[in-house]
Amino acid sequence: MSNLPAYTHTVSFKDTKSPNPDWTYGQGVDTTEEGRKWLEGLQGGFKTIDTSVEEPRKLKGLMMSGIIPRPVAFVSSVSEDGVENLAPYSFFNMVSYEPAMICFSAAFKEGAVPKDTARNIKATKNFTVNIISEAWIEQAHSTCVDAPPDVSEWALSGLTREKSTFVKAPRVLESAFSMECELYQAIDIPHPVTGKTNCTHILGLVKYIHVRKDILNKRGVVDPGRLKPVARIGGISYSKTSEGYQSPREKWEQTGESIQKALSNISKL
Ligand SMILES: Cc1cc2nc3c(=O)[nH]c(=O)nc-3n(C[C@H](O)[C@H](O)[C@H](O)COP(=O)(O)O)c2cc1C
């Protein structure tokens, strides 16, 4: 770590054209210089992993480094006895907006012990998910230390509890995008071969969203350049979002004719 260059804070967000804006329907990857370079990698062949025989530890490393970038849910929950808990979870995503729903998965700890977050949510049926921004990643990251139960993750992180509107679990005041969630379903997932349960998948109904006004753009949606979210990219690495590119979604009504023309040209070759 100590010989790594210093962090460059994201000062602005750059939106560019897509990597190959001149691409047309049916055109293969080998039609650009970048595409040809990418395809050279095929010469090395593929390594195919049978997940039913691969060691779980190796699968963990491979999947966590290959399924990237992952957004991070910073989950605040409360136990049945009222003990508050805070932890990051990157097996996380949006499920639906109608109803507003998110999901994340908590692997069991060694000895097949569920993590506090999953146990709390099953018991008290509510939690908050807070999106982490670059400016306070250290504070958020600190909460995954394996501290003894009597040590408060809120206190060690230096983050601020904010009372939620609907749920018992507080939200993180420093988060510019927080969701108050009610447990919809907690699914313990047994391994189809070993029968061993090693993870709980949590589905949460989003009851309220708190979004800081200064990160919204004129259209009322979040500007990634202002939110500065963090993402997980395997191992101990995070990545940031400082550049994006635009690819509008096309409609068959407008482009169908040109797609069919391109396809008929290909079939003539
Ligand atoms: C960025 C980040 C993402 C993580 N994502 C997950 C995850 O998706 N699932 C999981 O089981 N553990 C994940 N962890 C590990 C948990 O945060 C860690 O085990 C934590 O101590 C669990 O706390 P809890 O027992 O209080 O819930 C992640 C850790 C970090 C730093």
Side-chain angles (χ1 to χ4, degrees):
M1 272 276 280
S2 57
N3 55 7
L4 292 176
Y7 187 84
T8 325
H9 288 271
T10 305
V11 282
S12 64
F13 182 83
K14 196 163 83 177
D15 234 346
T16 68
K17 287 182 180 162
S18 68
N20 179 16
D22 300 328
W23 181 83
T24 55
Y25 287 95
Q27 207 172 63
V29 177
D30 60 354
T31 50
T32 64
E33 186 57 36
E34 280 300 314
R36 284 189 289 279
K37 268 195 218 144
W38 174 253
L39 294 175
E40 279 170 18
L42 285 173
Q43 286 160 16
F46 285 86
K47 181 178 173 188
T48 300
I49 291 104
D50 179 349
T51 64
S52 67
V53 292
E54 183 63 293
E55 262 182 66
R57 189 182 50 85
K58 289 193 181 161
L59 278 179
K60 179 182 178 190
L62 187 63
M63 290 179 73
M64 285 175 62
S65 60
I67 304 171
I68 58 165
R70 291 188 306 280
V72 183
F74 194 31
V75 185
S76 152
S77 62
V78 188
S79 76
E80 232 170 355
D81 310 332
V83 179
E84 291 176 342
N85 190 83
L86 205 48
Y89 283 85
S90 70
F91 303 169
F92 157 62
N93 223 306
M94 171 173 166
V95 173
S96 151
Y97 58 85
E98 196 182 358
M101 189 178 287
I102 54 92
C103 68
F104 72 93
S105 293
F108 283 14
K109 295 192 267 198
E110 241 169 74
V113 179
K115 290 191 179 166
D116 293 342
T117 300
R119 209 196 44 227
N120 291 351
I121 295 173
K122 276 183 175 180
T124 59
K125 316 262 186 277
N126 73 86
F127 57 104
T128 69
V129 167
N130 305 271
I131 300 299
I132 304 166
S133 292
E134 271 177 46
W136 51 278
I137 179 59
E138 265 81 15
Q139 285 86 343
H141 184 79
S142 71
T143 61
C144 71
V145 65
D146 53 348
D150 58 329
V151 173
S152 159
E153 282 142 359
W154 279 96
L156 69 83
S157 72
L159 292 166
T160 317
R161 258 186 218 88
E162 179 72 2
K163 203 172 166 345
S164 291
T165 309
F166 171 78
V167 304
K168 200 170 170 209
R171 64 183 173 94
V172 178
L173 179 65
E174 288 82 356
S175 175
F177 192 97
S178 296
M179 293 169 280
E180 294 189 29
C181 304
E182 182 181 84
L183 177 65
Y184 181 77
Q185 208 175 339
I187 309 164
D188 286 329
I189 301 179
H191 192 290
V193 178
T194 64
K196 194 176 130 200
T197 294
N198 193 43
C199 131
T200 304
H201 189 61
I202 303 281
L203 288 167
L205 266 179
V206 180
K207 303 293 280 191
Y208 286 92
I209 299 172
H210 303 276
V211 54
R212 228 167 74 174
K213 289 179 187 163
D214 69 329
I215 67 156
L216 292 172
N217 66 15
K218 282 188 197 127
R219 288 183 296 118
V221 298
V222 175
D223 177 339
R226 294 186 214 164
L227 178 62
K228 299 182 183 167
V230 303
R232 198 61 161 161
I233 53 166
I236 57 168
S237 296
Y238 289 96
S239 71
K240 55 184 180 175
T241 310
S242 45
E243 209 168 306
Y245 49 87
Q246 302 199 346
S247 289
R249 257 176 93 166
E250 298 188 330
K251 289 252 186 264
W252 186 264
E253 209 181 329
Q254 277 104 48
T255 50
E257 208 176 306
S258 63
I259 294 172
Q260 288 190 323
K261 202 166 146 200
L263 293 178
S264 74
N265 284 341
I266 292 165
S267 64
K268 278 184 215 145
L269 294 175

